[in-house]
Amino acid sequence: MAEKFNKTAINFSYVEKLDILIQSFQDRFSEFKKVKPLLDIFSNPFTISVENAPESMQLEIIDIQNDQDLRNKFNEGDLLNFYRCIDKNTYKELRINALKCASLFGSTYICKQTFSILNNNKTKNRNRLANESLEAVLRVATSKFEPNIKKIVSTMQCHASN
C-alpha cells in the first residue's frame, strides 16, 4: 500500500485495527486447528489415515473401514443417522467423538434459533410479555418434543355453560 499510495495518505490507525482483527481471528480459529483431526474422523471415518488418528480410536477405525454394511449406511448421506446406527460398545470412542463434534455446531444453531425466536416474540407490540411467558415460548419453540394432543384433550373435562 505504501508503494502504491503516498505514505502520508495512509491512515495507520486502520493498519493497527486490522492487525488486531487478524490476531483475533487467529486466536479464535486456532482451537479448530487443535480439533481438526477429530473433525476429520467425524466427517468421514472411512477415508482417514489410521496412523493420524488418536491411539484410542485406531482399532475402531480399522474395524469400521472394513465393515461394508456401515460403509453403505455412511454413503446414504445422513451423518448423524450413521452414528446412531453404529454399535455403542464396538465403536465407543468413535461415538463419543461424534457426539462432541456434533454438539460443536448444534449449540450454535440452537443459540441463533433461540435468539431469532426471542426477537420475533419480544416486539414493540408485545413488550409486556412477562419473562416467564417468554421463557415458556422459547422452550416450546426450540424443543423437538411433540405433545400427544389427543391424549391431553381426552383427559380434560368439558365445562358446560349455564
Side-chain angles (χ1 to χ4, degrees):
M1 292 289 290
E3 292 173 6
K4 190 172 183 180
F5 299 101
N6 182 359
K7 288 183 182 183
T8 58
I10 298 174
N11 186 341
F12 285 100
S13 66
Y14 290 121
V15 173
E16 183 180 322
K17 290 185 191 303
L18 287 173
D19 286 339
I20 292 169
L21 186 62
I22 289 168
Q23 186 60 44
S24 176
F25 273 107
Q26 287 173 344
D27 292 344
R28 284 182 184 234
F29 293 109
S30 67
E31 295 298 315
F32 280 110
K33 289 178 185 174
K34 293 177 187 174
V35 296
K36 185 178 182 325
L38 299 176
L39 290 170
D40 289 341
I41 292 168
F42 170 67
S43 65
N44 192 341
F46 295 98
T47 59
I48 194 78
S49 173
V50 177
E51 297 83 28
N52 295 337
E55 280 187 39
S56 62
M57 290 187 204
Q58 288 181 351
L59 290 176
E60 291 181 14
I61 291 172
I62 292 169
D63 288 343
I64 206 168
Q65 287 179 348
N66 290 302
D67 189 323
Q68 192 59 44
D69 291 335
L70 287 176
R71 185 180 295 270
N72 291 338
K73 187 70 178 168
F74 177 81
N75 288 333
E76 289 176 8
D78 187 350
L79 192 59
L80 296 178
N81 193 36
F82 165 74
Y83 280 104
R84 283 187 203 106
C85 292
I86 64 174
D87 184 63
K88 293 177 188 177
N89 299 318
T90 308
Y91 302 107
K92 181 181 177 184
E93 294 297 321
L94 286 174
R95 283 183 58 99
I96 290 170
N97 182 57
L99 288 171
K100 288 178 183 176
C101 290
S103 69
L104 283 174
F105 304 105
S107 60
T108 303
Y109 169 75
I110 291 170
C111 183
K112 287 181 181 180
Q113 179 188 26
T114 305
F115 190 71
S116 177
I117 293 166
L118 174 74
N119 283 334
N120 289 335
N121 282 284
K122 193 87 171 184
T123 62
K124 283 192 279 185
N125 298 331
R126 297 183 76 187
N127 63 356
R128 293 182 189 211
L129 191 61
N131 285 344
E132 297 82 26
S133 300
L134 184 59
E135 189 176 313
V137 167
L138 292 174
R139 182 171 289 130
V140 169
T142 57
S143 173
K144 290 187 177 184
F145 177 76
E146 293 186 29
N148 186 342
I149 302 296
K150 290 181 181 179
K151 184 176 180 181
I152 294 170
V153 170
S154 70
T155 62
M156 299 182 86
Q157 286 185 332
C158 294
H159 296 282
S161 58
N162 294 346

